[in-house]
Amino acid sequence: MYLNKFKLDGKVAVITGAARGIGFCTADALSEAGAEVILTDLNAEATEASAQKLRDKGRKASAFALDVTDSKAVEATAQKIIKAHGQVDILVNNAGIALSFVPAEVMDDFTWNKVMDVNLNGVFWCCRSFGKHMLERKQGAIVNLGSMSADIVNYPQEQAQYNASKAGVHHLTRSLAAEWAERGVRVNAVAPTYIETEMTKGVHERPPEVLKEWVDSTPMARMGKPEEIASVILFLASDAASLMTGACVAVDGGYTLW
Ligand code: NAI
């Protein structure tokens, strides 16, 4: 009875920024649980190659090019996907960028605006376009990629733009959750620690003290793996989390405890 709640057979899931990293692992996790997954990302070829990797495992997966900062493209793609698949049950707003190591006093407009645009505006455009459809069907689960950076200030790298954008994602998550709870749409977020993906690989080109600081600040004394975020997203997207909405779930090896 309980394990069945994690199953996603018959569900259609859209994941943004799914060509690689946490987004790709999420597509892997949701499709393993039975969902038909639609991977979206900036680069059409890379996204299609990632969808192919899942089809090679016998999963139902397709790809769409989508820049989440383009609200008109988000709406058009949502309509296209809904028309082609009949329904969207799960949306994972994963696309995100960091552009870290920029002290606030010298940050240019581009850096601030770009990070806000992808990390916060993009999440809202997708919630709006797919949420509308979910509300019509009176069912749906949205999982947003927040961050521990919504609650703490990372050290030693300066990244006010990223921290502020993710704090926005957490409160947007709660706001939409409250608006949509009675109408059958759940909205939750995951708040990861440092995860080993392309986003963080630049740390290895920094002085070793940076990675040491990250690890020493984490009770579990390690970074996370994208699969360790995907499994929590699977839980939140599934009926196993049917009473959860507006939660921003720390998946951080204890980082926010200290
Ligand atoms: P990644 O850099 O490996 O993958 C991000 C994906 O998003 C890429 O495929 C990229 O092409 C796509 N993307 C970027 N801009 C886009 C746009 N405008 N429209 C559509 N797609 C776009 O990053 P990673 O680590 O997998 O991160 C995924 C999410 O998890 C992000 O929201 C990130 O902020 C969040 N996160 C990551 C952490 C980490 O340490 N890696 C920690 C906490 C949160």
Side-chain angles (χ1 to χ4, degrees):
M1 173 192 160
Y2 287 104
L3 274 182
N4 270 342
K5 293 187 179 206
F6 289 87
K7 292 201 176 144
L8 301 179
D9 298 292
K11 307 258 189 205
V12 177
V14 173
I15 304 111
T16 68
R20 68 181 194 206
I22 295 169
F24 177 70
C25 286
T26 299
D28 190 19
L30 300 186
S31 60
E32 185 181 307
E36 175 167 4
V37 289
I38 295 145
L39 290 72
T40 72
D41 207 307
L42 288 176
N43 181 306
E45 233 169 88
T47 315
E48 176 51 33
S50 297
Q52 185 60 49
K53 276 190 211 156
L54 297 179
R55 289 197 294 271
D56 290 346
K57 293 191 190 185
R59 314 278 175 75
K60 281 192 200 148
S62 52
F64 277 85
L66 177 63
D67 179 345
V68 297
T69 66
D70 182 343
S71 63
K72 290 201 171 66
V74 167
E75 177 62 21
T77 306
Q79 291 308 323
K80 226 186 280 177
I81 291 172
I82 291 161
K83 197 166 175 210
H85 296 270
Q87 73 202 63
V88 172
D89 305 279
I90 294 163
L91 167 67
V92 181
N93 284 305
N94 165 80
I97 57 170
L99 310 184
S100 304
F101 294 93
V102 184
E105 69 276 19
V106 296
M107 190 183 305
D108 56 25
D109 294 13
F110 174 84
T111 303
W112 177 268
N113 285 330
K114 185 73 189 168
V115 171
M116 285 295 168
D117 217 12
V118 178
N119 293 7
L120 184 55
N121 293 346
V123 171
F124 181 67
W125 307 142
C126 292
C127 284
R128 186 176 65 181
S129 289
F130 288 98
K132 207 167 34 183
H133 161 77
M134 290 174 174
L135 289 167
E136 275 164 19
R137 295 183 68 227
K138 298 187 174 55
Q139 58 174 291
I142 297 176
V143 184
N144 296 326
L145 266 289
S147 172
M148 67 176 181
S149 309
D151 299 316
I152 54 95
V153 174
N154 302 67
Y155 184 79
Q157 74 277 24
E158 305 88 349
Q159 49 176 44
Q161 75 293 2
Y162 185 81
N163 301 342
S165 73
K166 292 297 184 180
V169 169
H170 283 205
H171 217 48
L172 174 63
T173 300
R174 297 183 190 105
S175 305
L176 299 180
E179 279 194 41
W180 295 348
E182 261 193 319
R183 289 184 280 161
V185 179
R186 298 186 297 107
V187 189
N188 291 291
V190 287
T193 181
Y194 298 108
I195 305 299
E196 291 168 10
T197 64
E198 290 286 318
M199 180 177 274
T200 52
K201 74 169 191 198
V203 71
H204 301 293
E205 282 135 41
R206 301 272 170 187
E209 294 76 41
V210 177
L211 180 57
K212 185 174 174 344
E213 180 66 44
W214 290 5
V215 170
D216 289 351
S217 304
T218 313
M220 280 191 183
R222 67 175 177 88
M223 291 175 70
K225 299 199 177 306
E227 296 83 353
E228 296 180 284
I229 304 302
S231 54
V232 179
I233 294 172
L234 165 60
F235 160 63
L236 290 172
S238 76
D239 287 345
S242 56
L243 192 57
M244 289 180 74
T245 199
C248 300
V249 181
V251 194
D252 65 2
Y255 192 104
T256 49
L257 298 175
W258 284 345

